[in-house]
Each structure stands twice: as C-alpha cells, then as structure tokens.
Amino acid sequence: MKQKKVLTKPQMEIKMKYKVNIGLEVHVELLTESKLFCGCSTEFGAPPNTHVCPVCLGLPGVLPVINKKAVDYTILTALALNCEISRLCRFARKNYYYPDLPKNYQISQYDEPLARDGWLEIETDGGSKKIGIERIHLEEDAGKLIHGEQMPNSDDEDKEASFVDYNRSGIPLMEIVTRPDISSPEEAYSYLTTLKKILQYLRVSDCNMEEGSLRCDVNVSVCREGEEMGTKTELKNMNSFKEIREALSVEIERQSRLLDRGEKIVQETRLWDPKRRKTVPMRSKEEAHDYRYFPEPDLLPLEIDEEWKRRLRAEIPELPKERCRRFIEEYGLPPYDAGVLTNSRDLADYFEECVKRYPHPKTVSNWIMGEFLRLLKRTDKSIDEVKVKPEDIAELLGQIEKGVISGKLAKDVFEKMFETGKGAKTIIEEEKLNQITDEASLEKVVEEAMRESPQAIEDFKKGKKKALGFLVGQVMKKTRGRANPALVNKLLKEKLGS
Ligand SMILES: [Zn+2]
C-alpha cells in the first residue's frame, strides 16, 4: 500500500538543508444536477453551449438563486474535515475580465468563507500528521476556452481561433485551501489521495481529474532550517497527483539551487511543463486586492443554523480510515486487504454485502481483490454497472466450498457470470461443469488413462513417483478439470497396487 520512495542524493541534501512549506488549493466540482445559481444541467460532455441560460451567460438584468444542494455538500465536506462552519457568510464578487467569464466577475467568497480552521489527518513515512485546512468556500466555475490547435479536425482557420464553451460556467465549485503545513511532495500526494477518497465517500464529487472535476493549485516555498518561511511560487497545469508530486520535487530543487547560490526567489506563478519535466515562469502573482472583491449585492447572506448542521452531520458516512480500521478488527483482514477494499465506498459496500451472505471474510476478500477487481479493470466498468451481484458471489463461493466445482474452474465460471449475469449454479448446470465425485464413472476414465499410458505405469512401478502426477493430469484433462482430484488419486493408487 504505502510505497517508500527512495530519495536521490540531491533530494536528500535538500531535505537536510532546507525546510519546505507546501499549501494546496483544491477546486472540486460538486455533484449537483444543476448549476450554482440557475437551473441549467451540470452534465459533462454535452455539445458546447447547450447547457446555458441568461443567468450563467451573464446577461444583463438576471438574478442568481442559490442551489441549496451545493451549500449542503460544502457544509458536509467542511464537517468531515473538522472545520468551523460560519453561522453567517456572504458571497463576494471577484472582478476580472476574461473571455470565459461573461459577467466580468465571478461570484465567490472572500473574507467570509463558509467554513474555516479544520484539519485532515494523513499518513506519512513518519506516522500520522494533521494538515491544517485554512478555509473552504463555494464559488461558481468559469466557462472553458478551447484553442484551435486542441480541436479535433480543425481546419487552418480554426487553428488560428479560440472557442468558448459556457456549459461549465456556473457549475458549483468548492475550494479547499490548506495551511502551508505540508513539508514534502510525498505528503502532498498523501493529502490529495486521502482528500479525494473522503470526497468520494461523501459523494459530493466524482473527483474525475480528466473531466476537470478536481483541480489543484500548489504553493511552495523553501527556506533554511530555523527561518520562518521562504518566498513562495505557485504552480499550475498539473493533471494528476503524480504530476503534482513530480512538479513539486522539481520546483523544490530549483528553489534550493537558487538559495545555494545566494540568489533570491521571485514570487510568481509558474507552469509545469510535462514534456520538459520542469517549471517555467508564467506571470508574477497578482494580489487579492487586484480583484477588488466586494459583497455580492444580489444574494442574501447565508445563515447556517445548528439544525442545518445537525442534519448534515447525521449524513456523514463512516469515512475510509475508520472503515479500514473496522475491517481489520471486525473481519480479521490483513491491513493490506482492508486498505484495498475500503479504497472506494462502493467496493467496501459490495464486500460487506458479500460477507453478509457468505460469512468467510478472507475468502470473499481474496475473490474481490483478485478476480473481481481484475475483471472490473479489464472491462473498465464501475461497480454499479457489474451484472454479478453480492448474492451471486456468495452462491459461487458456496459451490466451491461444497466441492461442486474446483477453485480453478470457478474462475472460468466467474468470468461467464461477469459476462452474462447468470448465476453460478445455472452456468455449472448448463455447461456440465460440476465435479465428478461418482466413483463408478470416474473409474472408467482412470482405466482409460492407464491404458493409454503404459510407459507411466512402468515408470511408477520402477519407483518414479512423478508418474502418478502425470496420470492424475491425464484424468483431469479427459474430464476437463471436473474430476475430484482426491478421488482420482485414491483410484489410481488402488489400481497401481501401491
Ligand atoms: Zn444557466
């Protein structure tokens, strides 16, 4: 589960000489059906500019209406991340001009975020560590610019142009900002994977990075041990957690080299260039006051009372860490199994449903971690799309336990169950796969195998024990793996007179 990453020599030197402070800003698209201030659909992948209306196009005279579900999801997340929820908070206009922002301002939150002062516990090489959450706020997403060269089948004229799609404009976006408590790229990686898992357990976002449902900006600074904090740079354009980890390593090394040479670090935004594996300057960082935030006059302040919080607190499910611990204690599973099975809420639910029907946790765990996940991956399916239900797994395992089929054959049966959705018993019957345990019919096959292999019999009589294995193999072949191996052994030994 936890991979120990060996540091290179220069990385080791840096680690000993410098202190690293990393802060992460994670933007999460919430899984609401409609946008934050209008009724337009949030569905991903629709033709450009089909999920739009006067509100999210920013036409004059329209008024925003807040989506309560989005507020619920943000409070839910904030509670799970141990934050203080503001009793009263306001939205603010963040003013800037950009083609993907038709109103020329974004409705966001500034000095009155919905929640603040929380923490998330992560696992590091040195044990558990709490990462401070500075604030969580709610805002609307902007539209999306598509530049000509990124367009499929674009002609020369298109290549010169840029296009805008406002389907994303107004989708609820939750921003989770940490304190600069993270002190290595590995910790940043651990924070992100832990956070993602929790968001998925809460079902507030699908966290699909390819579709942009989860995006992350990174602040990083380096200073000598004993100093307060260095000058930070911001990194953008990383598309996966692994890339964030790598970009951070590269940037930490760059800053350390500058300090080694006695040079100064410039506060700026830098872009990660994945092809050249380096960070390049993008722009000097704008300050918050450049945006001229002011309270949004079209929305009332949000008032969150105790009752609202209580209702949502009751909706928080058992979170991954607690569930993993319970799987170890309640089912006696090895920590590795418990970790894999609680990786997603759906998988953990599926496992528990199976165990309810077939109460042998380790056997169930082996099947789910082995065959089930293998086929899931191969067919690129999610758990709710799978035709095999927990009761089907229980039935299959029962058939193995009763000796109706061997564990080896069961794998073939399982593949067919996965493809067709038929039950184990049905497939075993249809394909006549049940084990032959009837002595009389097996005896005939054994005799046939012996007749065809006089050499093996001779070898056996000369003392070559291996020859017995060969004969067993022949019988298994003739019965397509259906013969009961113990019975075959017994019959062969009898007939060979040993
Ligand atoms: Zn709209």
Side-chain angles (χ1 to χ4, degrees):
M1 284 264 296
K2 213 167 72 185
Q3 282 178 339
K4 279 240 164 161
K5 230 188 123 207
V6 182
L7 296 179
T8 61
K9 202 165 160 244
Q11 281 172 331
M12 206 62 198
E13 277 172 28
I14 290 166
K15 209 175 169 182
M16 287 165 70
K17 212 149 111 196
Y18 296 109
K19 193 176 81 178
V20 173
N21 286 96
I22 299 167
L24 299 177
E25 287 173 20
V26 175
H27 286 91
V28 184
E29 274 186 4
L30 295 174
L31 257 185
T32 56
E33 277 170 39
S34 58
K35 293 186 180 179
L36 188 52
F37 299 117
C38 62
C40 292
S41 166
T42 55
E43 201 192 340
F44 182 83
N49 300 308
T50 52
H51 292 166
V52 290
C53 74
V55 174
C56 54
L57 284 175
L59 301 189
V62 293
L63 286 172
V65 178
I66 185 88
N67 181 336
K68 187 158 174 284
K69 198 95 214 162
V71 181
D72 277 357
Y73 284 174
T74 310
I75 299 175
L76 201 61
T77 307
L79 289 171
L81 297 178
N82 313 291
C83 292
E84 301 280 336
I85 312 290
S86 305
R87 201 182 58 80
L88 210 62
C89 67
R90 274 187 300 184
F91 285 93
R93 287 191 181 179
K94 180 181 181 179
N95 296 282
Y96 67 97
Y97 167 83
Y98 208 65
D100 64 7
L101 191 77
K103 288 201 296 271
N104 287 347
Y105 63 84
Q106 178 193 26
I107 303 181
S108 179
Q109 291 189 297
Y110 179 48
D111 50 354
E112 298 178 53
L114 214 145
R116 56 176 107 211
D117 294 330
W119 50 266
L120 171 63
E121 193 170 64
I122 62 163
E123 293 307 317
T124 71
D125 284 346
S128 303
K129 178 175 174 182
K130 275 185 186 171
I131 305 297
I133 308 280
E134 191 178 300
R135 57 183 280 149
I136 300 181
H137 74 246
L138 187 57
E139 64 187 24
E140 57 179 343
D141 208 347
K144 199 174 176 181
L145 285 180
I146 302 144
H147 303 293
E149 66 267 26
Q150 304 164 345
M151 298 251 295
N153 322 316
S154 55
D155 57 32
D156 286 347
E157 207 175 312
D158 283 353
K159 277 200 179 74
E160 301 284 308
S162 284
F163 300 82
V164 67
D165 177 6
Y166 290 120
N167 283 350
R168 203 176 71 178
S169 161
I171 287 187
L173 209 55
M174 173 171 67
E175 186 172 334
I176 306 170
V177 183
T178 72
R179 296 190 187 284
D181 293 347
I182 298 166
S183 39
S184 69
E186 288 70 34
E187 283 184 20
Y189 186 82
S190 175
Y191 170 84
L192 289 167
T193 46
T194 309
L195 177 67
K196 180 179 166 187
K197 227 191 278 183
I198 290 176
L199 295 171
Q200 286 175 328
Y201 261 67
L202 295 171
R203 304 209 161 122
V204 297
S205 174
D206 59 18
C207 297
N208 187 331
M209 286 188 93
E210 277 140 48
E211 295 180 0
S213 321
L214 195 150
R215 312 192 282 267
C216 182
D217 293 336
V218 180
N219 287 300
V220 55
S221 69
V222 165
C223 64
R224 288 180 196 280
E225 280 298 342
E227 284 174 0
E228 194 66 2
M229 184 115 70
T231 307
K232 64 183 180 185
T233 59
E234 188 180 352
L235 303 182
K236 282 187 182 291
N237 198 38
M238 290 87 66
N239 294 316
S240 72
F241 293 167
K242 283 192 179 133
E243 245 176 42
I244 290 170
R245 183 169 64 189
E246 193 184 347
L248 274 168
S249 281
V250 168
E251 178 63 11
I252 289 166
E253 201 168 332
R254 185 190 72 87
Q255 291 188 14
S256 307
R257 294 281 165 258
L258 283 173
L259 293 184
D260 275 349
R261 292 198 297 267
E263 290 175 39
K264 277 217 163 83
I265 292 154
V266 184
Q267 181 169 342
E268 61 186 352
T269 300
R270 298 178 69 86
L271 272 185
W272 169 244
D273 182 339
K275 281 204 189 95
R276 293 191 293 157
R277 318 307 298 169
K278 62 193 282 190
T279 69
V280 290
M282 181 183 153
R283 59 165 186 246
S284 65
K285 176 79 182 145
E286 61 283 269
E287 295 292 331
H289 60 247
D290 294 340
Y291 290 118
R292 305 288 298 227
Y293 283 93
F294 68 85
E296 167 60 58
D298 290 342
L299 286 164
L300 284 170
L302 268 179
E303 204 182 329
I304 300 154
D305 59 14
E306 287 304 314
E307 180 47 37
W308 194 348
K309 279 194 276 183
R310 209 174 5 250
R311 179 172 63 77
L312 289 172
R313 204 181 289 279
E315 278 181 28
I316 299 178
E318 186 182 27
L319 294 174
K321 203 170 170 181
E322 288 75 51
R323 201 164 193 188
C324 181
R325 204 176 298 143
R326 180 167 64 79
F327 274 26
I328 297 171
E329 283 163 14
E330 191 177 326
Y331 300 120
L333 291 177
Y336 177 79
D337 291 37
V340 174
L341 294 171
T342 54
N343 225 330
S344 87
R345 185 171 160 189
D346 286 344
L347 188 65
D349 286 348
Y350 192 93
F351 167 79
E352 293 208 273
E353 287 303 315
C354 292
V355 172
K356 259 187 220 159
R357 294 166 173 85
Y358 187 77
H360 303 279
K362 182 60 184 149
T363 311
V364 174
S365 163
N366 288 346
W367 270 86
I368 290 187
M369 295 201 331
E371 292 309 292
F372 185 73
L373 286 184
R374 184 177 68 81
L375 291 178
L376 212 59
K377 201 172 167 198
R378 197 177 77 188
T379 53
D380 200 21
K381 280 197 167 127
S382 65
I383 289 176
D384 55 340
E385 294 168 325
V386 166
K387 289 177 187 159
V388 180
K389 301 294 165 217
E391 49 269 32
D392 303 322
I393 301 246
E395 187 184 287
L396 175 72
L397 298 180
Q399 295 295 298
I400 304 171
E401 193 184 318
K402 284 188 204 136
V404 180
I405 46 167
S406 65
K408 196 160 171 267
L409 258 185
K411 289 185 181 173
D412 300 336
V413 174
F414 187 64
E415 271 207 54
K416 289 194 177 107
M417 288 163 67
F418 207 89
E419 276 162 29
T420 62
K422 286 182 189 168
K425 280 185 190 160
T426 314
I427 292 171
I428 293 167
E429 223 160 84
E430 278 178 5
E431 312 222 347
K432 300 193 171 47
L433 294 172
N434 53 320
Q435 263 192 13
I436 308 169
T437 47
D438 152 41
E439 219 174 302
S441 50
L442 210 51
E443 207 171 346
K444 280 185 205 140
V445 189
V446 168
E447 279 165 2
E448 197 182 301
M450 287 174 70
R451 259 201 313 281
E452 287 168 10
S453 318
Q455 185 63 45
I457 296 168
E458 211 171 292
D459 288 349
F460 183 81
K461 288 190 171 150
K462 279 186 198 151
K464 281 191 190 166
K465 298 283 174 223
K466 262 192 193 163
L468 183 70
F470 172 80
L471 287 167
V472 173
Q474 292 304 106
V475 176
M476 295 311 275
K477 215 188 228 169
K478 283 178 182 298
T479 57
R480 291 188 298 135
R482 291 168 55 225
N484 178 310
L487 192 56
V488 176
N489 263 289
K490 177 182 152 259
L491 287 171
L492 273 168
K493 279 182 184 164
E494 274 173 19
K495 292 193 182 297
L496 290 165
S498 83

